[in-house]
Amino acid sequence: MIFGIGVDIVEIRRIKEAISKHANFMDRVFSKNEIEYLKNRNLRPEFVAGRFAAKEAVVKALGTGFRGFDFKEVEIDRAASGRPNVILKGKARLIANKCGNYKIHLSISHGVDNAIAYAVMEVDEIENGIHRDMQEDR
């Protein structure tokens, strides 16, 4: 069953400005694996913006925003096919695990000016109502 959806759109120019004005922006927001991927893409702002939007979309689907954990606890990886994968770590993973078995589907795209990401969190149905309780807490 669908537990939550999230979407986020980011202006690429704002990410480009953040990269150039704040030396710690990349280290504060992205894991070492993500930074390595983005460096392989020449730190092109549209790819950075897409990954940033993806993190925001995922926490919206989770229903928490970035409360109680930070950006690096939501890692955006990719399959050999290029499909983006979500890896939750630390407190973000603990929150998701309260739902039991879950899967997060993610799509990222960009144009000239904006990057967008869409996330859907799918969970197994559980008889005890935990999903309803968590959704009411969100």
Side-chain angles (χ1 to χ4, degrees):
M1 80 187 252
I2 294 176
F3 178 79
I5 60 168
V7 65
D8 196 65
I9 187 166
V10 175
E11 294 177 55
I12 295 169
R13 70 168 177 79
R14 293 183 72 194
I15 295 297
K16 188 175 181 177
E17 289 170 7
I19 294 168
S20 65
K21 290 182 180 179
H22 306 286
N24 66 342
F25 174 77
M26 294 295 291
D27 290 327
R28 188 171 45 88
V29 174
F30 298 104
S31 71
K32 289 179 184 180
N33 290 337
E34 290 170 312
I35 291 171
E36 186 65 32
Y37 168 79
L38 292 168
K39 282 182 178 178
N40 288 334
R41 306 295 273 176
N42 297 318
L43 291 175
R44 289 175 42 197
E46 62 269 28
F47 291 106
V48 178
R51 294 294 170 114
F52 186 91
K55 289 174 179 263
E56 291 281 354
V58 167
V59 298
K60 289 175 182 177
L62 189 55
T64 61
F66 282 103
R67 278 184 252 136
F69 57 93
D70 66 32
F71 279 92
K72 290 183 181 183
E73 292 182 59
V74 176
E75 185 173 306
I76 309 303
D77 197 10
R78 66 186 206 119
S81 66
R83 188 186 87 227
N85 293 325
V86 178
I87 301 168
L88 298 179
K89 300 177 177 182
K91 292 180 183 174
R93 185 176 183 170
L94 292 175
I95 291 168
N97 283 339
K98 288 181 182 178
C99 296
N101 293 326
Y102 67 90
K103 183 170 183 174
I104 299 175
H105 307 274
L106 179 64
S107 180
I108 307 170
S109 190
H110 65 81
V112 174
D113 299 320
N114 297 296
I116 188 168
Y118 187 81
V120 176
M121 184 172 172
E122 183 181 5
V123 298
D124 291 342
E125 201 161 348
I126 296 177
E127 298 291 323
N128 65 11
I130 190 169
H131 301 316
R132 185 175 31 253
D133 294 342
M134 284 188 68
Q135 286 182 328
E136 289 171 0
D137 289 343
R138 297 191 299 168

